[in-house]
Amino acid sequence: MAAYIIRRLLLIIPTLLAIITINFFIIQIAPGGPVDQAIATMQGFGSNTSVQRISGGGGGEGTEQKVESSRYRGSRGLDPEVIAEIERLYGFDKPILQRYGRMLKNYITFDFGNSLFRARSVLDLITERMPVSISLGLWSTLIIYLVSIPLGIRKAVKNGTKFDTWTSAVIVIGNAIPSFLFAVLLIVLFAGGSFIKIFPLRGLFSTDLNSMNLLQKIGDYFWHLTLPIIAMIIGGFASLTMLTKNSFLDEINKQYVMTARAKGLTEKKILMGHVFRNAMLIIIAGFPAAFISMFFTGSVLIEVIFSLDGLGLLGFESTMQRDYPVIFATLYIFTLMGLLLSLLSDLMYTIIDPRIDFEAR
């Protein structure tokens, strides 16, 4: 197993390199980059403190030399020296291959540089937003798995009964409700929208956190997370529940189950001692993808609606602003975590079913 783990860890390097390389060149050659954003700001279409110090220099009122033709949209009428200074500020005065090589060299040491528009370290921004995303992703995924797996097993055992029918109807209805729409409904009903105000609407903690003891801090933390987590999990039960049910049904109908019954084993022993390990393999295989999806992509709208500054909102804002250091750093970290979780998923295979030996294969 040690040799298999080493091979998988070594395989992460070219995989990560390929993903970063493809995205780097696609994003770099796409129009509307940070230089275009800065030019638009200087032309009066936005506000950006990082270029305010440039706008007054390089081209005074008496400057006659103007940009007649430029690769940047909206640059007409700006002094070439100003544009050159903007390119230098954002690192676009270097060839694209040189920028790519410098980025790879820095990323090896986890040096992600500074945000182009926030005047802060990218690593500080990610670290600051990480607790929100971890909280939403971890608790939502945990609740969905804790509810869906037992429910799916129960539905498989009671297949075709009234219990199976009405639970299927409930999870289908829940799956049909958009999470952002349900979030708005929760705010209206329970966060002071139009009815009662039970839950807070902003942040992970109250402003008087420092005056609380440990138990009060824990309670305050979950009090703030209640509505966002409910909104995120409302549609998350359907796929995992039905996957669990179908996986168990498939195993229950196999020959080894009939043989176990013929030997006189109880249904509980058959289910938990034989069926469970085989049926759970496909469910465990999907855990990394489910966690990454819930962790990073599934919470963007929820973070916006509940005013939570998480990684999803940071990634969205950075993409809209073309804040390349933040975009590539989050992509690098998310991809690395996804690859490591995929390896962890394979290791869980061997724990649940010792018959699986990846190293032998």
Side-chain angles (χ1 to χ4, degrees):
M1 180 58 68
Y4 172 75
I5 295 175
I6 293 174
R7 287 198 302 269
R8 284 293 302 272
L9 290 174
L10 292 176
L11 186 60
I12 288 177
I13 298 174
T15 305
L16 188 62
L17 179 64
I19 293 174
I20 290 294
T21 300
I22 293 172
N23 283 274
F24 176 85
F25 285 102
I26 289 176
I27 294 177
Q28 288 281 337
I29 65 178
V35 176
D36 293 287
Q37 298 280 338
I39 290 174
T41 299
M42 295 182 64
Q43 297 284 33
F45 296 105
S47 59
N48 190 341
T49 55
S50 62
V51 297
Q52 287 177 358
R53 62 179 181 271
I54 300 175
S55 59
E61 294 181 359
T63 302
E64 298 294 335
Q65 186 181 13
K66 301 295 181 182
V67 176
E68 299 298 336
S69 177
S70 175
R71 64 182 181 273
Y72 301 114
R73 293 180 299 175
S75 61
R76 184 179 297 275
L78 287 179
D79 193 291
E81 294 182 3
V82 174
I83 295 180
E85 179 65 16
I86 295 175
E87 288 181 328
R88 187 201 60 78
L89 178 66
Y90 295 125
F92 279 75
D93 56 331
K94 304 291 192 301
I96 188 170
L97 291 178
Q98 187 174 344
R99 299 201 301 269
Y100 171 70
R102 183 176 58 186
M103 183 192 72
L104 291 183
K105 181 180 178 182
N106 292 336
Y107 278 20
I108 292 175
T109 59
F110 286 86
D111 178 11
F112 302 116
N114 296 320
S115 168
L116 299 181
F117 302 108
R118 292 178 173 85
R120 293 186 59 191
S121 166
V122 173
L123 202 56
D124 289 343
L125 286 172
I126 294 175
T127 304
E128 181 183 282
R129 306 289 186 99
M130 189 72 78
V132 173
S133 294
I134 289 178
S135 298
L136 292 176
L138 178 63
W139 294 117
S140 299
T141 307
L142 186 61
I143 292 173
I144 289 173
Y145 267 74
L146 288 177
V147 173
S148 296
I149 292 177
L151 180 59
I153 296 174
R154 184 70 174 173
K155 285 172 66 62
V157 174
K158 298 289 185 180
N159 184 43
T161 63
K162 290 184 178 179
F163 173 82
D164 183 35
T165 303
W166 73 260
T167 51
S168 295
V170 171
I171 62 176
V172 167
I173 293 173
N175 188 54
I177 301 175
S179 59
F180 71 90
L181 186 62
F182 192 67
V184 173
L185 178 63
L186 290 175
I187 290 175
V188 171
L189 293 178
F190 303 112
S194 299
F195 292 87
I196 55 178
K197 185 173 182 180
I198 301 177
F199 298 98
L201 193 57
R202 187 179 298 273
L204 281 183
F205 298 100
S206 299
T207 55
D208 58 341
L209 180 68
N210 293 331
S211 62
M212 301 180 184
N213 58 41
L214 180 60
L215 290 178
Q216 289 174 331
K217 289 179 180 179
I218 295 174
D220 184 70
Y221 168 74
F222 285 106
W223 182 47
H224 281 75
L225 280 177
T226 300
L227 294 187
I229 290 178
I230 291 176
M232 288 185 67
I233 67 176
I234 184 64
F237 297 110
S239 59
L240 183 59
T241 300
M242 299 310 296
L243 177 64
T244 305
K245 175 190 173 182
N246 294 334
S247 180
F248 272 80
L249 280 177
D250 183 57
E251 294 295 326
I252 288 172
N253 293 325
K254 288 185 176 179
Q255 184 64 42
Y256 74 89
V257 175
M258 298 179 186
T259 303
R261 285 172 179 160
K263 290 182 178 180
L265 294 179
T266 63
E267 289 295 324
K268 184 176 181 180
K269 277 191 175 182
I270 294 173
L271 187 66
M272 303 308 296
H274 298 276
V275 174
F276 184 81
R277 289 190 305 177
N278 297 328
M280 286 297 292
L281 290 176
I282 190 173
I283 298 168
I284 291 175
F287 177 78
F291 180 72
I292 290 294
S293 176
M294 190 71 71
F295 190 10
F296 300 119
T297 61
S299 60
V300 177
L301 290 176
I302 301 301
E303 290 176 9
V304 173
I305 293 172
F306 288 98
S307 301
L308 297 170
D309 291 331
L311 291 175
L313 184 58
L314 175 65
F316 174 76
E317 292 175 346
S318 301
T319 302
M320 297 302 295
Q321 294 177 332
R322 303 297 195 275
D323 196 343
Y324 289 164
V326 179
I327 293 174
F328 292 126
T330 51
L331 175 66
Y332 180 84
I333 293 174
F334 296 171
T335 304
L336 181 60
M337 290 185 64
L339 293 172
L340 292 175
L341 284 174
S342 178
L343 174 59
L344 179 62
S345 175
D346 287 348
L347 296 179
M348 290 297 295
Y349 274 136
T350 61
I351 295 175
I352 293 178
D353 191 348
R355 295 173 300 175
I356 298 176
D357 188 353
F358 290 106
E359 188 170 0
R361 294 185 61 180

